[in-house]
Coordinates of all heavy atoms in Angstrom, one line a residue:
G1 N 111.7 129.1 79.9 CA 111.8 129.8 78.6 C 112.0 128.8 77.5 O 111.4 127.7 77.4
P2 N 112.9 129.0 76.5 CA 113.8 130.2 76.5 C 113.2 131.5 76.1 O 112.3 131.5 75.3 CB 114.8 129.7 75.4 CG 114.0 128.9 74.5 CD 113.0 128.2 75.3
F3 N 113.7 132.6 76.7 CA 113.3 133.9 76.3 C 114.4 134.6 75.6 O 115.5 134.7 76.1 CB 113.0 134.7 77.6 CG 111.9 134.0 78.5 CD1 112.3 133.2 79.5 CD2 110.6 134.2 78.2 CE1 111.3 132.6 80.3 CE2 109.6 133.6 79.0 CZ 110.0 132.8 80.0
L4 N 114.1 134.9 74.3 CA 115.1 135.5 73.4 C 115.3 137.0 73.5 O 114.3 137.7 73.3 CB 114.8 135.1 72.0 CG 114.6 133.6 71.7 CD1 114.3 133.3 70.3 CD2 115.9 132.8 72.1
L5 N 116.4 137.4 73.9 CA 116.7 138.9 74.2 C 118.1 139.3 73.7 O 118.9 138.4 73.6 CB 116.5 139.1 75.7 CG 115.1 139.0 76.3 CD1 115.1 138.8 77.8 CD2 114.2 140.2 75.9
P6 N 118.3 140.6 73.5 CA 119.6 141.0 73.2 C 120.7 140.6 74.2 O 120.4 140.6 75.4 CB 119.5 142.6 73.2 CG 118.0 142.8 72.8 CD 117.3 141.7 73.5
N7 N 121.8 140.2 73.7 CA 122.9 139.6 74.5 C 123.4 140.6 75.6 O 124.0 140.2 76.6 CB 124.0 139.1 73.6 CG 125.1 138.4 74.4 OD1 124.8 137.4 75.1 ND2 126.3 139.0 74.4
N8 N 123.3 141.9 75.3 CA 123.9 142.9 76.3 C 123.0 143.3 77.4 O 123.2 144.3 78.1 CB 124.4 144.1 75.5 CG 123.3 144.9 74.9 OD1 122.3 144.4 74.5 ND2 123.5 146.2 74.7
I9 N 121.9 142.6 77.6 CA 121.0 142.9 78.7 C 121.7 142.8 80.0 O 122.5 141.8 80.2 CB 119.7 142.1 78.6 CG1 118.6 142.7 79.4 CG2 119.9 140.7 79.0 CD1 117.2 142.2 79.0
K10 N 121.4 143.7 80.9 CA 122.1 143.6 82.2 C 121.2 144.1 83.3 O 120.1 144.5 83.1 CB 123.4 144.5 82.1 CG 123.1 146.0 81.8 CD 124.4 146.7 81.7 CE 124.1 148.2 81.3 NZ 123.4 148.9 82.4
E11 N 121.8 144.1 84.6 CA 121.0 144.6 85.7 C 120.6 146.0 85.5 O 121.3 146.8 85.0 CB 122.0 144.5 87.0 CG 121.3 145.1 88.2 CD 122.3 145.2 89.4 OE1 123.4 144.7 89.3 OE2 121.9 145.8 90.4
G12 N 119.3 146.2 85.9 CA 118.7 147.6 85.7 C 117.9 147.7 84.4 O 117.1 148.7 84.3
D13 N 118.1 146.8 83.5 CA 117.3 146.9 82.2 C 115.9 146.4 82.5 O 115.6 145.6 83.4 CB 118.0 146.0 81.2 CG 119.2 146.7 80.5 OD1 119.3 147.9 80.6 OD2 120.0 146.0 80.0
Y14 N 115.0 146.8 81.6 CA 113.6 146.4 81.7 C 113.2 145.5 80.6 O 113.7 145.7 79.4 CB 112.7 147.7 81.7 CG 112.8 148.5 82.9 CD1 113.8 149.6 83.0 CD2 112.1 148.3 84.1 CE1 113.9 150.4 84.1 CE2 112.2 149.1 85.2 CZ 113.1 150.1 85.2 OH 113.2 150.9 86.4
I15 N 112.3 144.6 80.8 CA 111.8 143.7 79.8 C 110.3 143.7 79.9 O 109.7 143.7 81.0 CB 112.3 142.2 80.1 CG1 113.8 142.1 80.2 CG2 111.7 141.2 79.1 CD1 114.3 140.8 80.8
E16 N 109.6 143.7 78.7 CA 108.2 143.5 78.7 C 107.9 142.0 78.3 O 108.4 141.5 77.4 CB 107.5 144.4 77.7 CG 106.0 144.2 77.6 CD 105.3 145.0 76.5 OE1 106.0 145.4 75.6 OE2 104.1 145.1 76.6
L17 N 107.0 141.4 79.1 CA 106.5 140.0 78.8 C 105.1 140.1 78.5 O 104.3 140.6 79.2 CB 106.8 139.2 80.1 CG 108.3 139.0 80.4 CD1 108.4 138.4 81.8 CD2 109.0 138.2 79.4
G18 N 104.7 139.5 77.3 CA 103.4 139.6 76.8 C 102.5 138.5 77.1 O 102.8 137.5 77.7
Q19 N 101.2 138.6 76.5 CA 100.2 137.5 76.6 C 99.8 137.2 78.1 O 99.5 136.1 78.4 CB 100.6 136.3 75.9 CG 101.1 136.5 74.5 CD 100.1 137.2 73.6 OE1 100.1 138.4 73.6 NE2 99.4 136.5 72.8
L20 N 99.8 138.2 78.9 CA 99.5 138.0 80.3 C 98.1 138.5 80.7 O 97.8 138.6 81.9 CB 100.6 138.6 81.2 CG 101.9 137.9 81.1 CD1 103.0 138.7 81.8 CD2 101.8 136.5 81.8
G21 N 97.3 138.9 79.7 CA 95.9 139.3 80.0 C 95.1 138.2 80.6 O 94.1 138.4 81.3
A22 N 95.5 137.0 80.2 CA 94.8 135.8 80.7 C 95.5 135.2 81.9 O 96.7 134.7 81.7 CB 94.6 134.8 79.6
Y23 N 95.0 135.2 83.1 CA 95.5 134.6 84.3 C 96.7 135.2 84.9 O 97.1 134.9 86.0 CB 95.8 133.1 84.0 CG 94.6 132.3 83.5 CD1 94.5 132.0 82.2 CD2 93.5 132.0 84.3 CE1 93.4 131.3 81.7 CE2 92.4 131.4 83.9 CZ 92.3 131.0 82.5 OH 91.2 130.4 82.0
G24 N 97.2 136.3 84.3 CA 98.4 137.0 84.9 C 98.0 137.6 86.2 O 98.6 137.3 87.3
L25 N 97.0 138.4 86.2 CA 96.5 139.0 87.5 C 95.8 138.0 88.4 O 96.0 138.1 89.6 CB 95.5 140.2 87.2 CG 96.1 141.4 86.5 CD1 95.0 142.5 86.3 CD2 97.2 142.0 87.3
T26 N 95.2 137.1 87.8 CA 94.4 136.1 88.6 C 95.2 135.3 89.6 O 94.8 135.0 90.7 CB 93.6 135.2 87.7 OG1 92.9 135.9 86.7 CG2 92.6 134.3 88.4
F27 N 96.4 134.8 89.1 CA 97.2 133.9 89.9 C 98.2 134.5 90.8 O 99.0 133.8 91.5 CB 97.9 132.9 88.9 CG 97.1 131.9 88.2 CD1 97.5 131.3 87.0 CD2 95.8 131.6 88.7 CE1 96.7 130.4 86.4 CE2 95.0 130.6 88.1 CZ 95.5 130.0 86.9
R28 N 98.2 135.8 91.0 CA 99.1 136.5 91.9 C 99.0 136.0 93.3 O 97.8 135.8 93.8 CB 99.0 138.0 91.8 CG 99.5 138.6 90.5 CD 99.3 140.1 90.5 NE 97.9 140.4 90.7 CZ 97.4 141.6 91.0 NH1 98.2 142.6 91.1 NH2 96.1 141.8 91.1
T29 N 100.1 135.9 94.0 CA 100.0 135.7 95.5 C 100.9 136.8 96.1 O 101.5 137.6 95.5 CB 100.6 134.3 95.8 OG1 102.1 134.4 95.7 CG2 100.1 133.2 94.9
K30 N 100.9 136.7 97.5 CA 101.8 137.7 98.2 C 102.9 136.9 98.9 O 103.4 137.3 99.9 CB 100.9 138.4 99.2 CG 99.9 139.4 98.6 CD 99.2 140.2 99.6 CE 98.2 141.1 98.9 NZ 97.4 142.0 99.8
F31 N 103.3 135.8 98.3 CA 104.4 135.0 98.9 C 105.7 135.8 99.0 O 106.1 136.5 98.1 CB 104.6 133.7 98.0 CG 105.7 132.8 98.5 CD1 105.7 132.3 99.7 CD2 106.7 132.5 97.6 CE1 106.7 131.4 100.1 CE2 107.8 131.7 98.0 CZ 107.7 131.1 99.3
N32 N 106.3 135.6 100.2 CA 107.6 136.3 100.5 C 107.4 137.8 100.6 O 108.4 138.6 100.7 CB 108.6 136.0 99.5 CG 109.6 134.9 99.9 OD1 110.5 134.6 99.1 ND2 109.4 134.4 101.1
G33 N 106.2 138.3 100.5 CA 105.9 139.8 100.5 C 106.1 140.5 99.2 O 106.1 141.7 99.1
F34 N 106.4 139.7 98.1 CA 106.5 140.3 96.8 C 105.2 140.4 96.1 O 104.5 139.3 95.8 CB 107.5 139.4 95.9 CG 108.9 139.5 96.4 CD1 109.4 138.4 97.1 CD2 109.7 140.6 96.2 CE1 110.8 138.4 97.6 CE2 111.0 140.6 96.6 CZ 111.5 139.5 97.3
Y35 N 104.7 141.6 95.9 CA 103.4 141.8 95.3 C 103.3 143.2 94.8 O 103.7 144.1 95.5 CB 102.3 141.6 96.4 CG 100.9 141.7 95.8 CD1 100.3 140.7 95.1 CD2 100.2 142.9 95.9 CE1 99.0 140.8 94.6 CE2 98.9 143.0 95.4 CZ 98.3 142.0 94.8 OH 97.0 142.1 94.3
S36 N 102.9 143.3 93.6 CA 102.7 144.6 93.0 C 101.3 144.7 92.4 O 100.8 143.8 91.7 CB 103.7 144.9 91.8 OG 103.5 146.1 91.2
D37 N 100.7 145.8 92.7 CA 99.3 146.1 92.2 C 99.3 147.4 91.3 O 98.3 148.1 91.2 CB 98.3 146.2 93.3 CG 96.9 145.9 92.8 OD1 96.7 145.1 91.9 OD2 95.9 146.5 93.4
H38 N 100.5 147.7 90.8 CA 100.6 148.8 89.9 C 100.1 148.5 88.5 O 100.8 147.8 87.8 CB 102.1 149.3 89.9 CG 102.2 150.7 89.3 ND1 103.4 151.4 89.4 CD2 101.3 151.5 88.7 CE1 103.2 152.6 88.9 NE2 102.0 152.7 88.4
I39 N 99.0 149.0 88.1 CA 98.3 148.7 86.9 C 98.1 149.9 86.1 O 97.6 150.9 86.6 CB 97.0 147.9 87.1 CG1 97.2 146.7 87.9 CG2 96.3 147.6 85.7 CD1 95.9 146.0 88.3
V40 N 98.5 149.9 84.8 CA 98.4 151.1 84.0 C 97.8 150.8 82.6 O 97.7 149.6 82.3 CB 99.8 151.8 83.7 CG1 100.5 152.2 85.0 CG2 100.7 150.9 82.9
Q41 N 97.3 151.8 82.0 CA 96.8 151.6 80.6 C 97.8 152.1 79.6 O 98.5 153.1 79.8 CB 95.5 152.5 80.4 CG 94.9 152.4 79.0 CD 93.6 153.2 78.9 OE1 93.0 153.5 79.9 NE2 93.3 153.6 77.7
V42 N 98.0 151.3 78.5 CA 98.9 151.6 77.5 C 98.3 151.4 76.1 O 97.4 150.6 76.0 CB 100.2 150.8 77.6 CG1 99.9 149.3 77.4 CG2 101.3 151.3 76.8
N43 N 98.7 152.3 75.2 CA 98.0 152.3 73.9 C 98.8 151.8 72.7 O 98.4 151.9 71.6 CB 97.5 153.7 73.6 CG 96.5 154.2 74.6 OD1 95.6 153.5 75.0 ND2 96.6 155.5 75.0
D44 N 100.0 151.2 73.0 CA 100.7 150.6 71.9 C 100.2 149.2 71.6 O 99.4 148.7 72.2 CB 102.2 150.6 72.2 CG 102.6 149.9 73.4 OD1 101.7 149.3 74.1 OD2 103.8 149.8 73.7
A45 N 100.8 148.6 70.5 CA 100.4 147.3 70.1 C 101.0 146.2 71.0 O 102.1 146.4 71.5 CB 100.8 147.1 68.6
P46 N 100.3 145.1 71.1 CA 100.9 144.0 71.9 C 102.1 143.4 71.1 O 102.3 143.7 69.9 CB 99.8 143.0 72.0 CG 99.0 143.2 70.8 CD 99.0 144.7 70.5
I47 N 102.9 142.6 71.8 CA 104.0 142.0 71.2 C 103.6 141.0 70.1 O 104.1 141.0 69.0 CB 104.9 141.2 72.2 CG1 105.4 142.2 73.3 CG2 106.1 140.6 71.5 CD1 106.1 141.6 74.4

């Protein structure tokens, strides 16, 4: 990073990370068994 976020962020909170349309899906692996193929369409503006 650094990734700038509110100081009170804690376990269970969600974060959106942007600018991943390029190479985000392309570089995924299944290392350690961690892999998600949950893809959705969203209509709000990018960060």
